[in-house]
Amino acid sequence: MKLRHIALALCAVATTATTATTYAQQAPKPEDQIRYRQSIMNVIGRQFGMLAGMAKGEVPYNKEAAVKAAGLVETLSTLPAPLFGPGLDKGAPTKAGAKIWTEPDKFKAALEKMQGEVKKLPAAASDPATLKVAAGDVGKTCKGCHDDYREKEFRN
Ligand code: HEC
């Protein structure tokens, strides 16, 4: 009897742990989603910053590094869209403008414009002249969205 109780108790613990893990995977807290989108943006910023530096001649051109960075920017640019979804306008300090949630279609269009230009980066990165043009085009889409949808200061 005693052993059976222990076994049942262990089962209950295991079930609770599994449920908690599943829940965490399905519905991360807004706070975590906001931090995650900022992390992605920061990596995009660092990787693209290097490409922009090469395009401007501020950083020596390096083909291998450029192609790698371009691939990362392309891959990462596919991640943020759902992280600007409903309910993710607050929950942690953020620079995301409130307008994102009042005109989601326009924001989505700005994101897609960036993704469209970013797709051209990996092929362009293997040559300094084509990289210069492609990085310039991508940079305009970053700036365009930041001008419209990113606040200068963190808000909560
Ligand atoms: C569709 C809109 C949009 C596009 C396109 C976009 N961003 Fe952003 N970006 C944002 C928003 C909104 C934030 C603020 C997110 C937050 O704080 O929650 C942000 C934050 C950042 C940050 C974090 C730094 C900070 O101010 O805290 C960096 C770096 C960044 N973006 C770089 C880029 C780069 C580089 C590109 C182009 C390759 C780009 N972004 C394209 C909307 C955009």
Side-chain angles (χ1 to χ4, degrees), residues 34 37-38 41-42 44-46 48 73 84 93-97 100 107 110-111 114 118 138 141-142 145-146 149-150 154:
I34 291 170
R37 91 178 164 221
Q38 290 166 343
M41 280 294 185
N42 275 314
I44 292 177
R46 180 73 70 94
F48 182 68
V73 172
F84 288 102
T94 176
K95 288 182 184 171
I100 294 170
F107 180 76
L111 203 53
M114 182 262 279
V118 159
V138 170
T141 67
C142 310
C145 185
H146 289 167
Y149 296 106
R150 189 177 66 167
F154 280 103

Side-chain angles (χ1 to χ4, degrees), residues 83-96:
L83 303 170
F84 288 102
L88 300 179
D89 53 334
K90 49 181 177 285
T94 176
K95 288 182 184 171

Side-chain angles (χ1 to χ4, degrees), residues 93-133:
T94 176
K95 288 182 184 171
K99 267 202 314 180
I100 294 170
W101 287 271
T102 55
E103 45 187 52
D105 292 346
K106 276 186 164 174
F107 180 76
K108 190 166 169 259
L111 203 53
E112 283 168 359
K113 201 169 164 193
M114 182 262 279
Q115 288 163 338
E117 294 303 332
V118 159
K119 276 205 179 85
K120 301 175 195 162
L121 264 185
S126 55
D127 174 79
T130 49
L131 172 63
K132 195 172 174 173
V133 176

